[in-house]
Amino acid sequence: MKHDLYELFSEYGGELPEIEEKPCDTERIKQLVLEGTQKKRPMRRVRPKLFIICAAAVLTAVSGLTVAAATDGFSHFRSILGRTEPSGNLSDELPLMSGSDVSGMEQNFSENRIVFTGSGAMTVSTAGMYYDNNTLMLSFEMRAGTDTAIPDNAVVLPYFTRIKDGVRTELPNQSGLANAAALTRGDEPDTYYATFYLTEKDLADSKVGVTLKNIITTDDTADVYSALIAEQESWRDEFDLDSHTIEEWKQYWHDNDFDKRTRDFVEARLAECGSVVKGEWSAEVDISDIGKAATFSRDGFTVTADTLSLTLDIEQELPEYAFAVPVVTMSDGTVIFDGGTSEENLLSQMGVIRSGEKCRRYAHIFANVFSYSEPHPVSSIADISVYVFESNDSGLTAKRRIIYEAEATS
């Protein structure tokens, strides 16, 4: 029983081309797998697999940003975003990364400077952060000694934890090789910047533990990915995938804890790399509670809406293979949604999104956090609905659950 590449990665996010209509875009698939090892339908409650199949993705530089009148710290932070290249999970459609107006965005900004402890080969400090209760865009300034040569293809590896109420929780799927960020040169000699984006429900009113570990090159990352591909191919050969179904392979992956084996293999190979700068730099970053979120619950769905994101929690069991998508309509008529071509077509047929309307996709999705492409105060939301999609013999269907509707004003 032969399986094609699309079946193997049916769990993962991204816009895979229709097999019967166009040829396989392998470069697009490579980029999607590296950028998003999260589930495309986070509500299925299965932990994402670190299933990496290709060499390091090309990082896209973000430039041309216009800085509005703001504090010196905020302007400096935005100028950093204008020159840094995004890490594996950082979208250039996120607020401050795009060229949108930044008026009022400084209220979600903190310029508290935190100096890291660690190796003397480089000094590391935070250069600003932009956040709401569930999202965090965090930039770092790294200064190398005058005798330390940093090549243009250098990257830094991040490792994150969340610390709340004395409990430390690792964030493995937002750490490590798939989230490495390029070091971008600053204007001052031997100064470099890197930026990361994290999502985690109720991130505010907690601390984020950050460890930056070793400066390596993109050549090193490509070597590690190549080794990982070979290793994972051996797992598939042992399982004899051609004689089993995709669902049996997924269960086999789970039973053998290939998530952990993948991480352990990558970390072992990284340890063998000849680092440009070997060392670790650590700090704990306080994320204050900014108290702007509002929670709405109905019919077993709970949506927490914030300025830069919303979260979706499901307290009911969905039918097998069903998935839920939140759709937000703003008071100015803008509709924010997500989903593949089939879902978008169905929403159009249902009149949810209409030609000529202001339609936006979420800029970033990880687990149950949906990030906006620009800030939207909760007061600007007209309604929030959750559409539960199911696929059957008659095709794709969807049922709407209205979670919140703003009261009409006279």
Side-chain angles (χ1 to χ4, degrees), residues 183-199:
L183 289 187
T184 302
R185 296 181 186 274
D187 293 331
E188 298 182 21
D190 304 313
T191 300
Y192 302 84
Y193 295 102
T195 300
F196 300 93
Y197 188 76
L198 297 177
T199 63

Side-chain angles (χ1 to χ4, degrees), residues 303-315:
V303 173
T304 301
D306 211 330
T307 307
L308 305 174
S309 65
L310 62 82
T311 63
L312 173 61
D313 292 299
I314 302 176
E315 291 82 32

Side-chain angles (χ1 to χ4, degrees), residues 200-213:
E200 182 78 5
K201 186 182 177 185
D202 298 329
L203 190 63
D205 195 25
S206 64
K207 293 183 179 181
V208 172
V210 184
T211 297
L212 302 180
K213 186 183 299 184

Side-chain angles (χ1 to χ4, degrees), residues 199-269:
T199 63
E200 182 78 5
K201 186 182 177 185
D202 298 329
L203 190 63
D205 195 25
S206 64
K207 293 183 179 181
V208 172
V210 184
T211 297
L212 302 180
K213 186 183 299 184
N214 296 340
I215 310 298
I216 61 176
T217 68
T218 54
D219 292 337
D220 296 323
T221 65
D223 290 343
V224 174
Y225 279 121
S226 295
L228 178 60
I229 291 170
E231 179 71 9
Q232 291 183 331
E233 284 289 349
S234 71
W235 301 344
R236 289 192 288 272
D237 291 342
E238 291 172 3
F239 179 71
D240 188 13
L241 184 59
D242 289 344
S243 301
H244 296 81
T245 66
I246 298 300
E247 290 304 317
E248 288 173 334
W249 163 244
K250 294 173 184 176
Q251 187 62 47
Y252 182 77
W253 178 288
H254 177 269
D255 293 343
N256 287 273
D257 200 2
F258 282 153
D259 281 353
K260 184 176 185 302
R261 287 177 63 175
T262 294
R263 289 193 294 268
D264 290 346
F265 181 88
V266 168
E267 290 304 313
R269 286 303 178 114

Side-chain angles (χ1 to χ4, degrees), residues 220-381:
D220 296 323
T221 65
D223 290 343
V224 174
Y225 279 121
S226 295
L228 178 60
I229 291 170
E231 179 71 9
Q232 291 183 331
E233 284 289 349
S234 71
W235 301 344
R236 289 192 288 272
D237 291 342
E238 291 172 3
F239 179 71
D240 188 13
L241 184 59
D242 289 344
S243 301
H244 296 81
T245 66
I246 298 300
E247 290 304 317
E248 288 173 334
W249 163 244
K250 294 173 184 176
Q251 187 62 47
Y252 182 77
W253 178 288
H254 177 269
D255 293 343
N256 287 273
D257 200 2
F258 282 153
D259 281 353
K260 184 176 185 302
R261 287 177 63 175
T262 294
R263 289 193 294 268
D264 290 346
F265 181 88
V266 168
E267 290 304 313
R269 286 303 178 114
L270 287 172
E272 298 173 1
C273 292
S275 304
V276 174
V277 179
K278 193 170 185 62
E280 292 186 13
W281 303 268
S282 300
E284 293 182 357
V285 180
D286 285 304
I287 313 298
S288 61
D289 185 357
I290 54 179
K292 297 178 182 177
T295 299
F296 311 103
S297 295
R298 185 178 293 179
D299 298 333
F301 298 93
T302 298
V303 173
T304 301
D306 211 330
T307 307
L308 305 174
S309 65
L310 62 82
T311 63
L312 173 61
D313 292 299
I314 302 176
E315 291 82 32
Q316 62 171 277
E317 287 297 324
L318 298 181
E320 189 176 12
Y321 303 122
F323 56 90
V325 175
V327 177
V328 182
T329 302
M330 297 296 166
S331 55
D332 67 355
T334 299
V335 179
I336 304 174
F337 66 99
D338 193 78
T341 302
S342 298
E343 291 94 329
E344 183 174 349
N345 289 341
L346 182 56
L347 291 176
S348 297
Q349 295 169 15
M350 298 172 65
V352 180
I353 52 179
R354 299 179 178 87
S355 177
E357 281 188 334
K358 302 176 184 177
C359 295
R360 301 284 188 273
R361 290 187 180 273
Y362 295 105
H364 181 91
I365 301 174
F366 188 85
N368 65 339
V369 180
F370 298 74
S371 301
Y372 295 141
S373 60
E374 60 186 75
H376 292 290
V378 176
S379 60
S380 70
I381 296 177

Side-chain angles (χ1 to χ4, degrees), residues 106-112 114 129-136 162-164 202-208 284-293 306:
E106 58 269 27
Q107 63 184 340
N108 287 78
F109 169 74
S110 173
E111 59 181 311
N112 292 339
I114 299 171
M129 62 183 182
Y130 185 70
Y131 66 103
D132 68 2
N133 290 287
N134 311 300
T135 69
L136 173 64
R162 178 172 179 262
I163 308 160
K164 190 175 181 69
D202 298 329
L203 190 63
D205 195 25
S206 64
K207 293 183 179 181
V208 172
E284 293 182 357
V285 180
D286 285 304
I287 313 298
S288 61
D289 185 357
I290 54 179
K292 297 178 182 177
D306 211 330

